Amino acid sequence: MSDYVRNLWYMAAWENEVPDDGVLARRLLDAPWAIYRLGDGSYAMLADRCPHRFVPLSRGKRVRDMLQCGYHGLGFGADGRCAHTPFATAVPDAQVATRPIVARHGALWFWPGDAELADPALIPDFSFVTDGAEVVCESLLMDAGYQFITDNLMDLSHAEFLHVETFGVNGSLFGGKHSVETDDTGGIWNKWDMVDAKAPEWAKPMLPPGTNTDQKMHIRWHAPASMALFIELTRDDTGQPLVPPMANPHIITPATATTSHYFYTREPGDAAKAMALKVFLEEDEPMIQAAEAGLDGQEFWAARPLILASDAGAVRVRRRMMQLRKREAAEPALQPA
């Protein structure tokens, strides 16, 4: 059974990662792809391998809406068909694979399964990325599998221990109310609500002495690993926000079985960039890698993990992904060509 569920929307890139007149080469779900913008503003996604001598098409150039191989000049259109040869012969009957790709919310989403099922209405709502305050859209390649990164994000209690130096919540989760819900879009919500809680250290200068806070940390998941984190922090006496409500995407797409693209946003500025990289690469990544290595190749459920109440969201996500894999395995006609 494949570890990847194919009939879902995955994020391929932020739109700003695609060069205006060039090609973005990116490995996604264990395969190389070339992504480029068409003249009408839409996008094309082609397998990044010329069928002639197997070099990456991304090493060539864009010629209008065609990718021209940099080795022998064969050109391939947005539909993957060979559309040009520089030689005085007939255009070869050749085809490279393509995938449906759609721009939504500043991001590019691709469908690796049955193209007839690729309904853009199924793309999760990340409209806050483009509708809110100015943010910087970035990505990094994390040396960890996407499910382990998802486990980390869907159990926010780790912030009390792993992120003490950055945005630690100062023990407020220990007395908070935890709940898990599923909405009518299939989204799984993991919610922490803290009332009359001690303020995080960074927020204490904003409060009169002896004043506590009300806090919300809610994270939403859609398959396979598209998450949105919503945070609110207000004075418990007046309800006045200490900072504007925050909404951040945390979208994970496998590059390979053991590496993942991590798509996120941050505030502008060098300090915000340094903070994000510290959280993701110095705090999260080493611990996620340690968890993955701790299995030593054993399947997650076969290892009989101890389940805590705070794991409810992550466990529900793992089980949903198991159900989706089993469903696709039972329906081979839904697998891509």
Side-chain angles (χ1 to χ4, degrees):
M1 191 188 313
S2 171
D3 189 52
Y4 304 133
V5 179
R6 299 283 173 174
N7 288 304
L8 291 171
W9 289 105
Y10 288 76
M11 185 170 165
W14 293 112
E15 286 193 84
N16 63 12
E17 293 185 282
V18 180
D20 288 339
D21 297 313
V23 183
L24 173 67
R26 177 153 285 171
R27 180 167 286 274
L28 300 160
L29 278 62
D30 291 310
W33 296 94
I35 300 168
Y36 64 103
R37 187 179 290 108
L38 302 175
D40 64 1
S42 63
Y43 293 85
M45 181 174 177
L46 275 61
D48 197 12
R49 190 174 82 165
C50 179
H52 175 224
R53 287 293 180 267
F54 314 120
V55 301
L57 289 172
S58 59
R59 292 179 63 91
K61 62 181 180 180
R62 270 192 55 198
V63 180
R64 295 179 296 277
D65 283 353
M66 183 176 66
L67 283 189
Q68 186 174 43
C69 181
Y71 199 5
H72 296 95
L74 294 179
F76 295 83
D79 61 357
R81 298 291 305 173
C82 186
H84 171 77
T85 176
F87 305 102
T89 57
V91 174
D93 182 16
Q95 171 89 42
V96 296
T98 65
R99 293 290 181 264
I101 185 165
V102 176
R104 288 287 188 281
H105 317 310
L108 296 178
W109 302 84
F110 74 101
W111 184 275
D114 183 345
E116 294 186 1
L117 302 177
D119 180 0
L122 298 175
I123 295 172
D125 181 11
F126 286 92
S127 56
F128 60 81
V129 173
T130 50
D131 292 348
E134 179 187 359
V135 293
V136 179
C137 297
E138 290 186 326
S139 69
L140 55 85
L141 186 64
M142 189 171 279
D143 190 15
Y146 79 101
Q147 285 200 236
F148 284 87
I149 302 173
T150 302
D151 287 343
N152 181 67
L153 286 161
M154 289 302 291
D155 178 11
L156 296 174
S157 69
H158 78 270
E160 292 281 15
F161 305 94
L162 206 54
H163 301 307
V164 174
E165 295 183 9
T166 48
F167 62 87
V169 284
N170 202 19
S172 59
L173 285 175
F174 299 137
K177 176 186 176 183
H178 178 233
S179 60
V180 178
E181 303 169 4
T182 301
D183 65 26
D184 57 8
T185 70
I188 294 174
W189 290 80
N190 194 42
K191 297 182 176 182
W192 283 94
D193 294 278
M194 292 77 75
V195 177
D196 192 21
K198 289 191 298 182
E201 291 298 324
W202 58 267
K204 286 184 177 180
M206 305 178 188
L207 291 166
T211 304
N212 282 336
T213 63
D214 294 337
Q215 303 175 40
K216 293 182 179 180
M217 294 176 63
H218 297 176
I219 190 162
R220 182 197 73 198
W221 171 93
H222 283 92
S226 296
M227 287 156 282
L229 176 63
F230 302 91
I231 298 175
E232 295 182 17
L233 181 67
T234 61
R235 288 179 54 159
D236 73 328
D237 55 349
T238 66
Q240 179 182 358
L242 295 183
V243 292
M246 291 176 275
N248 304 106
H250 296 267
I251 304 172
I252 317 299
T253 298
T256 67
T258 58
T259 61
S260 305
H261 299 286
Y262 197 134
F263 300 100
Y264 63 96
T265 62
R266 61 170 176 82
E267 295 179 353
D270 292 341
K273 180 171 185 174
M275 173 78 151
L277 293 179
K278 180 176 177 64
V279 169
F280 298 145
L281 298 182
E282 296 181 29
E283 296 178 344
D284 280 329
E285 185 178 47
M287 194 64 77
I288 296 169
Q289 290 172 334
E292 200 165 10
L295 281 175
D296 197 23
Q298 191 175 17
E299 195 273 331
F300 179 83
W301 293 112
R304 301 179 63 82
L306 173 66
I307 304 298
L308 305 178
S310 56
D311 295 321
V315 166
R316 192 176 297 189
V317 164
R318 284 249 179 194
R319 288 176 175 163
R320 174 75 63 79
M321 290 302 296
M322 281 176 47
Q323 292 167 355
L324 291 173
R325 288 190 199 95
K326 289 179 179 178
R327 186 180 72 185
E328 285 201 355
E331 299 174 331
L334 298 182
Q335 298 300 318

